Amino acid sequence: MKKEKQPHSTLSASISLRVRFSETDALGIVWHGNYIKYFEEGREAFGRKYGLSYLEVEKKGYATPIVKTICEHKKSVRYGEMLRVETYYIATASAKLHFRYFIYNEADELVCTGETEQVFTLLKDGTLSLYKPLFYAEWEEKEVKSKI
Amino acid sequence: MKKEKQPHSTLSASISLRVRFSETDALGIVWHGNYIKYFEEGREAFGRKYGLSYLEVEKKGYATPIVKTICEHKKSVRYGEMLRVETYYIATASAKLHFRYFIYNEADELVCTGETEQVFTLLKDGTLSLYKPLFYAEWEEKEVKSKI
Amino acid sequence: MKKEKQPHSTLSASISLRVRFSETDALGIVWHGNYIKYFEEGREAFGRKYGLSYLEVEKKGYATPIVKTICEHKKSVRYGEMLRVETYYIATASAKLHFRYFIYNEADELVCTGETEQVFTLLKDGTLSLYKPLFYAEWEEKEVKSKI
Amino acid sequence: MKKEKQPHSTLSASISLRVRFSETDALGIVWHGNYIKYFEEGREAFGRKYGLSYLEVEKKGYATPIVKTICEHKKSVRYGEMLRVETYYIATASAKLHFRYFIYNEADELVCTGETEQVFTLLKDGTLSLYKPLFYAEWEEKEVKSKI
């Protein structure tokens, strides 16, 4: 499912973040579960850039809960390091949001990769949307298909 | 404001918890901010015992957001330790919930003390309750005043 | 890679845990990244049961950092729920620890599944162990192979 | 102990941060314990500006574990908000580091105040330093006393 090389998507966003001391563990490195927060930072940076953030999706009456996460660690990260999260949008036919993440350290070494899948649910009652919501289909038309 | 010795309240609850690896930091000890989670575990153990948990308060139409926390560390705690959180209810005349916490390790050494203050707000619009809500005044009458 | 049905391993452990309020998010459900903590709780319950916990591995001079995590959500979980984490050991020929997780709610519904892979590194300098460390090969001989 | 108005210290640092979705709770606001992370971000911004960060102190052979935290909430904060953490150094005669924090939202409203106290311990064995370590006394001489 995951490929090491970066996808040829034209849609991506980059964000830098500083590792917090509270994110390290007794091994002296970033605790592995904290990368899920970095993915979310990357995804929201993408969302703000392209009009698909949690708050914008919420205004349309939807939530986009995560249904799957994959996270692979290539190199450990210590306190004091700055990281760069590259987030790539992966087009998919199903009613899902699919992102791929590549996290680099300051030496530009790949430290972590990952993927997430999100579904669309109605905010008012949590109903799963079996089809792409109209606002998202339109977003895709405008941002993705028009650029291929 | 805080006294080392335990208050003479008849209302208290005790809960045991195991330190999580994710709660340690690069110094090899529990990261100081994680004790706020232990206080909340203690407070909710109290709430379940005496009918004042978040979920029960919510059913009455209220939230009880924290407005003040004090946390003092006496001894560091490492991964693998079991902790015991003792939570004491502190009666107060104002429309607030006031708790005091004492956390002990397995050797029964005091590792952390703390206090929290919570106000009552209406769930529907967040309005601060200037008086003790009726359900809470009744709870106090039944659980606290009747026992003095 | 992941199969829905539980593996036919004789080695597994079960642990119950209560969702913490701090683990919920603004959607009112457990934030997806917190399940990684539940996996670790399950894995450590397994470790304590079978003599393979972080602290026991540390005594042998090794750390077992996570190199891959997969997490899939079947159903959302709210504050106040009790969860049961079932952790299964997956035998593998490589110098890795492989676990599979099944998390159930109180109604015994499957809410989350997952997998983790860990490598062995020397505590003293972080060197990756290309072969199964002796203590682990012996553990495997005793706990896994003898039971097949 | 705490005063609302800002101290007249010449030593302070300011940092902006974006609230993470994972930091919100089921009430839709930032979970109160997460402000301790914001204090640490502020303190480390101060440390980087004035040469007193965790990593710099570590090079001198010391750790500075927190022994006391006070946190007061004036206004709740929601996902999507940007915060500004102002960190003030408070001079003290004892062998402690004392900081005061003021957190503001984008409308420049004060949302949270706090204080922390840290002691100096030797990294090699955890011994508490009863006197100000030489490196810190020199830092104080240079950065604080010379400016009064």
Side-chain angles (χ1 to χ4, degrees):
Chain A
M1 185 175 179
K2 208 195 55 59
K3 291 195 196 69
E4 284 302 301
K5 62 191 172 98
Q6 300 183 3
H8 300 292
S9 169
T10 51
L11 292 187
S12 68
S14 180
I15 192 170
S16 285
L17 57 87
R18 186 182 296 277
V19 167
R20 289 180 178 173
F21 189 74
S22 58
E23 293 166 354
T24 59
D25 65 25
L27 289 175
I29 59 176
V30 171
W31 182 68
H32 65 280
N34 284 324
Y35 290 85
I36 312 299
K37 296 179 186 171
Y38 303 161
F39 291 169
E40 191 162 71
E41 282 234 30
R43 191 166 62 245
E44 281 292 273
F46 179 96
R48 287 190 300 273
K49 181 175 175 185
Y50 290 105
L52 206 67
S53 70
Y54 285 3
L55 293 175
E56 281 158 304
V57 168
E58 190 183 77
K59 275 180 207 151
K60 303 298 184 181
Y62 288 88
T64 50
I66 297 279
V67 291
K68 183 170 187 177
T69 303
I70 301 176
C71 183
E72 291 192 64
H73 305 276
K74 309 300 182 187
K75 203 174 160 56
S76 59
V77 173
R78 306 192 86 82
Y79 178 61
E81 293 193 44
M82 290 291 299
L83 300 177
R84 191 177 84 249
V85 185
E86 306 276 0
T87 302
Y88 290 81
Y89 173 85
I90 309 295
T92 169
S94 61
K96 284 185 181 175
L97 279 171
H98 187 179
F99 290 102
R100 200 166 290 164
Y101 311 91
F102 297 83
I103 305 184
Y104 299 89
N105 62 17
E106 282 169 284
D108 215 32
E109 296 167 309
L110 184 63
V111 298
C112 181
T113 62
E115 286 181 59
T116 56
E117 288 179 16
Q118 294 164 274
V119 291
F120 294 93
T121 60
L122 284 174
L123 264 184
K124 63 178 178 190
D125 60 9
T127 308
L128 177 70
S129 185
L130 299 177
Y131 301 95
K132 293 181 181 180
L134 183 59
F135 86 91
Y136 175 60
E138 287 174 351
W139 177 90
E140 214 180 10
E141 191 66 39
K142 175 169 157 268
E143 297 288 351
V144 186
K145 293 179 184 164
S146 66
K147 287 166 185 166
I148 298 173
Chain B
M1 185 177 178
K2 208 195 56 56
K3 291 195 195 68
E4 283 304 300
K5 62 189 173 97
Q6 298 183 4
H8 300 292
S9 168
T10 52
L11 292 186
S12 68
S14 180
I15 193 170
S16 285
L17 56 87
R18 187 183 294 279
V19 167
R20 289 180 178 173
F21 188 75
S22 58
E23 292 165 354
T24 59
D25 65 25
L27 288 175
I29 59 176
V30 171
W31 182 68
H32 65 281
N34 284 323
Y35 290 85
I36 313 299
K37 296 180 186 171
Y38 303 161
F39 290 169
E40 192 162 70
E41 281 235 30
R43 192 166 62 245
E44 280 294 273
F46 180 95
R48 287 191 299 274
K49 181 175 174 184
Y50 290 104
L52 206 67
S53 70
Y54 286 2
L55 294 175
E56 282 158 304
V57 168
E58 190 183 77
K59 276 179 207 153
K60 303 298 184 179
Y62 287 88
T64 49
I66 297 279
V67 291
K68 182 170 188 178
T69 302
I70 300 176
C71 182
E72 291 192 63
H73 305 277
K74 309 300 182 187
K75 203 173 159 56
S76 59
V77 172
R78 305 191 87 81
Y79 178 62
E81 294 194 44
M82 291 291 299
L83 300 176
R84 190 178 85 249
V85 186
E86 308 275 0
T87 303
Y88 290 81
Y89 173 86
I90 309 295
T92 169
S94 61
K96 284 185 179 173
L97 278 171
H98 187 180
F99 289 102
R100 201 166 288 163
Y101 311 91
F102 298 83
I103 306 185
Y104 298 90
N105 63 16
E106 282 169 284
D108 215 32
E109 296 167 309
L110 185 63
V111 299
C112 180
T113 63
E115 287 181 59
T116 56
E117 288 179 14
Q118 294 163 276
V119 291
F120 293 94
T121 59
L122 283 175
L123 266 183
K124 63 178 178 190
D125 60 8
T127 309
L128 176 69
S129 186
L130 299 177
Y131 302 95
K132 293 181 181 180
L134 184 60
F135 86 92
Y136 175 60
E138 287 175 350
W139 177 90
E140 214 180 12
E141 190 67 40
K142 175 168 157 267
E143 296 288 351
V144 186
K145 294 181 184 163
S146 67
K147 285 166 186 166
I148 298 172
Chain C
M1 185 174 178
K2 208 197 55 62
K3 293 195 193 68
E4 284 302 300
K5 62 189 172 98
Q6 300 184 2
H8 300 292
S9 168
T10 51
L11 291 187
S12 67
S14 179
I15 194 170
S16 285
L17 57 86
R18 187 183 294 278
V19 168
R20 289 181 179 172
F21 188 74
S22 57
E23 292 166 353
T24 59
D25 66 24
L27 288 175
I29 59 176
V30 171
W31 182 68
H32 65 281
N34 284 324
Y35 290 85
I36 313 299
K37 295 180 186 172
Y38 303 162
F39 291 170
E40 192 163 71
E41 281 234 30
R43 191 166 63 247
E44 280 294 272
F46 179 95
R48 287 190 300 273
K49 182 175 174 184
Y50 290 104
L52 207 66
S53 69
Y54 285 3
L55 293 176
E56 281 159 304
V57 168
E58 190 183 77
K59 277 180 208 151
K60 304 297 184 181
Y62 287 89
T64 49
I66 297 278
V67 291
K68 182 169 187 176
T69 302
I70 302 176
C71 183
E72 291 192 63
H73 305 276
K74 309 300 181 186
K75 201 172 160 62
S76 59
V77 172
R78 306 192 87 80
Y79 178 61
E81 294 194 44
M82 290 292 298
L83 299 177
R84 192 177 83 250
V85 185
E86 307 275 0
T87 303
Y88 289 81
Y89 173 85
I90 309 295
T92 168
S94 61
K96 283 185 181 175
L97 279 172
H98 187 180
F99 290 102
R100 200 165 288 162
Y101 311 91
F102 298 83
I103 305 183
Y104 299 89
N105 62 16
E106 283 169 284
D108 215 33
E109 297 168 308
L110 185 63
V111 299
C112 180
T113 63
E115 285 181 60
T116 55
E117 288 179 15
Q118 294 163 275
V119 291
F120 293 93
T121 59
L122 283 175
L123 265 183
K124 63 178 177 189
D125 60 8
T127 309
L128 177 70
S129 185
L130 299 177
Y131 301 95
K132 294 181 182 180
L134 184 60
F135 86 92
Y136 175 60
E138 287 175 351
W139 177 89
E140 214 180 11
E141 192 65 39
K142 175 170 157 265
E143 296 289 351
V144 185
K145 293 179 184 164
S146 66
K147 286 167 185 164
I148 297 173
Chain D
M1 186 173 179
K2 210 195 54 59
K3 292 196 195 66
E4 283 303 300
K5 61 189 172 98
Q6 298 183 3
H8 300 293
S9 169
T10 51
L11 292 187
S12 68
S14 179
I15 193 169
S16 285
L17 57 87
R18 187 182 294 278
V19 168
R20 289 180 178 173
F21 188 74
S22 57
E23 293 166 352
T24 59
D25 65 25
L27 288 175
I29 59 176
V30 171
W31 182 68
H32 64 281
N34 284 323
Y35 290 85
I36 313 298
K37 296 179 186 171
Y38 303 161
F39 290 169
E40 192 162 71
E41 282 235 30
R43 191 167 61 246
E44 281 294 272
F46 179 95
R48 288 191 299 273
K49 181 174 175 186
Y50 290 104
L52 206 67
S53 70
Y54 285 3
L55 293 175
E56 281 158 305
V57 168
E58 190 182 76
K59 275 179 209 153
K60 304 297 185 180
Y62 288 88
T64 49
I66 297 278
V67 291
K68 182 169 187 177
T69 303
I70 301 175
C71 183
E72 291 192 63
H73 305 277
K74 309 300 183 187
K75 202 173 160 58
S76 58
V77 172
R78 307 190 84 82
Y79 179 61
E81 294 193 44
M82 291 292 297
L83 299 177
R84 190 177 85 251
V85 186
E86 307 276 1
T87 302
Y88 289 81
Y89 173 85
I90 309 295
T92 169
S94 61
K96 284 185 179 174
L97 278 171
H98 188 180
F99 290 102
R100 201 166 288 163
Y101 310 91
F102 297 82
I103 305 184
Y104 299 89
N105 62 17
E106 282 169 285
D108 214 33
E109 296 167 309
L110 185 63
V111 298
C112 180
T113 64
E115 286 181 58
T116 55
E117 288 179 15
Q118 293 163 275
V119 290
F120 293 93
T121 59
L122 284 174
L123 265 183
K124 63 178 177 189
D125 60 8
T127 308
L128 177 69
S129 186
L130 299 177
Y131 301 95
K132 294 181 182 181
L134 183 60
F135 87 92
Y136 175 60
E138 288 174 350
W139 177 90
E140 213 180 12
E141 192 66 39
K142 176 170 157 265
E143 296 289 351
V144 186
K145 293 179 184 165
S146 65
K147 286 167 186 165
I148 298 172

